[in-house]
Amino acid sequence: VTVFEALHAPGGVLMYGIPEFRLPKEIVRQEIEELKELGVEIVVNAVIGKTFTIDELLTEEGFDAVFIGTGAGLPHFMDIPGENLNGVYSANEFLTRVNLMKAYKFPEAGTPVHAGKRVAVVGAGNVAMDAARTALRLGAENVYIVYRRSEEEMPARAEEIEHAKEEGVEFRLLTNPVRIIGDEQGWVKGLECIRMELGEPDESGRRKPVPIANSNFVLDVDTVIMAIGQGPNPLIQQTTPGLAVNKRGNITTDEIGRTSKEGVFAGGDIVTGAATVIQAMGAGKKAAAAIHEYVQNKRKGARNSQ
């Protein structure tokens, strides 16, 4: 079994997406070491779709089967004015810099991170809470969660919200950003928002936020972190002919992880959209059993044909 990892350290979102205070990296490293002891080979700095395609792995590199577990790492933005200003991050970039590139140790480590003194985190999922609490630990004086619905509709787990409140994160609810304001040097200096009220439920069952006319105001911030969800990176799908995806770009599979392509299996966020680590682990275990059976049958077939 060989694991191909795009980044320079294995562990995926466990290493770069979840802050140290929630999941100590030493625990993840121990798990990875145990995999290596079992005989798993880990190849880092290997971007599948660039370094090798899925088809090349199956033909030229001699693999019998491939499991795709690339997650949902492509951040969403709001497409509002000012998103290209200095001091605007996706939560992915912010957490990756801090976790995996040791930006919190700058200048000892070579990756700077501008955490800012007044930080707005847009969104209210678990990733938003992680980004907000990380910003506090990097020295921010005021951290705001900016969310267009009420607390009842927040997608984050109740304990994550509670921890953020305990640590001093301020919640600006029923508030939606309309533009990011910059200074003459191109740095963030404010976030213009509009107040919202809840209308009728939408297709998700949550009450739809409706803007209140002439209620705009400016939140005085120097950093904006977008944490409004993420989708699948399309690189593998674009470089793998015959791999079926849904309209969101997620790979479609059956209940044991088989894709539309012979010998190719998938699981986790690349199939379900952004979900939990435990669900991805479950998908991996199901697919592993299916791959084992597939490879055994393939070898049996090859022996019989001889």
Side-chain angles (χ1 to χ4, degrees), residues 11-263:
V13 80
L14 299 176
M15 288 296 276
Y16 65 76
I18 301 174
E20 177 74 17
F21 59 84
R22 283 230 290 129
L23 176 63
K25 301 293 166 267
E26 196 44 48
I27 293 171
V28 185
R29 287 190 196 100
Q30 282 169 13
E31 294 283 334
I32 292 164
E33 283 310 310
E34 284 177 27
L35 288 177
K36 286 180 179 172
E37 283 166 23
L38 286 171
V40 174
E41 185 187 348
I42 298 176
V43 179
V44 295
N45 300 314
V47 181
I48 302 304
K50 293 272 189 192
T51 315
F52 303 104
T53 64
I54 298 289
D55 287 329
E56 284 169 349
L57 291 175
L58 290 167
T59 53
E60 294 167 29
E61 299 303 314
F63 290 99
D64 294 307
V66 173
F67 176 78
I68 302 169
T70 47
L74 194 70
H76 292 159
F77 285 90
M78 290 184 70
D79 291 328
I80 57 173
E83 278 185 320
N84 59 348
L85 288 164
N86 296 318
V88 179
Y89 295 93
S90 71
N92 286 43
E93 182 195 353
F94 185 68
L95 291 169
T96 303
R97 278 180 178 235
V98 173
N99 273 340
L100 198 55
M101 300 177 187
K102 300 185 176 63
Y104 55 88
K105 284 187 172 176
F106 185 79
E108 278 174 60
T111 308
V113 62
H114 169 76
K117 292 295 175 199
R118 296 176 308 284
V119 179
V121 179
V122 180
N126 293 328
V127 173
M129 302 304 151
D130 284 347
R133 294 170 68 196
T134 298
L136 281 176
R137 283 163 174 75
L138 290 174
E141 289 161 12
N142 300 94
V143 178
Y144 308 102
I145 289 282
V146 178
Y147 182 55
R148 63 193 183 139
R149 291 181 162 104
S150 68
E151 186 165 337
E152 230 169 77
E153 286 84 20
M154 281 188 185
R157 290 158 67 230
E159 52 265 51
E160 300 297 331
I161 296 166
E162 206 47 51
H163 292 155
K165 284 180 178 174
E166 280 174 15
E167 291 179 6
V169 174
E170 299 171 52
F171 286 73
R172 295 283 187 268
L173 304 176
L174 291 167
T175 300
N176 203 32
V178 292
R179 98 185 146 109
I180 303 166
I181 303 162
D183 63 16
E184 299 74 38
Q185 280 76 47
W187 286 89
V188 173
K189 69 170 187 179
L191 182 65
E192 185 183 339
C193 301
I194 189 165
R195 298 192 195 282
M196 312 291 279
E197 58 188 354
L198 293 178
E200 294 304 308
D202 62 13
E203 61 277 3
S204 71
R206 294 185 296 177
R207 290 173 66 196
K208 196 177 166 78
V210 181
I212 300 170
N214 305 317
S215 64
N216 294 41
F217 68 99
V218 174
L219 201 55
D220 181 20
V221 294
D222 52 18
T223 302
V224 175
I225 300 171
M226 290 291 176
I228 56 169
Q230 57 268 354
N233 187 311
L235 182 61
I236 285 180
Q237 298 86 308
Q238 287 171 354
T239 56
T240 312
L243 187 65
V245 297
N246 66 16
K247 61 176 193 265
R248 291 169 179 259
N250 296 99
I251 297 170
T252 53
T253 69
D254 65 9
E255 65 284 350
I256 57 170
R258 282 182 300 210
T259 70
S260 60
K261 197 170 171 71
E262 173 78 13

Side-chain angles (χ1 to χ4, degrees), residues 1-2 4 54 57-58 62-68 262-265 287 290-292 294-295 298-299:
V1 176
T2 304
F4 291 97
I54 298 289
L57 291 175
L58 290 167
F63 290 99
D64 294 307
V66 173
F67 176 78
I68 302 169
E262 173 78 13
V264 179
F265 298 73
I291 290 167
H292 174 73
Y294 171 79
V295 171
K298 189 178 172 184
R299 295 208 166 148

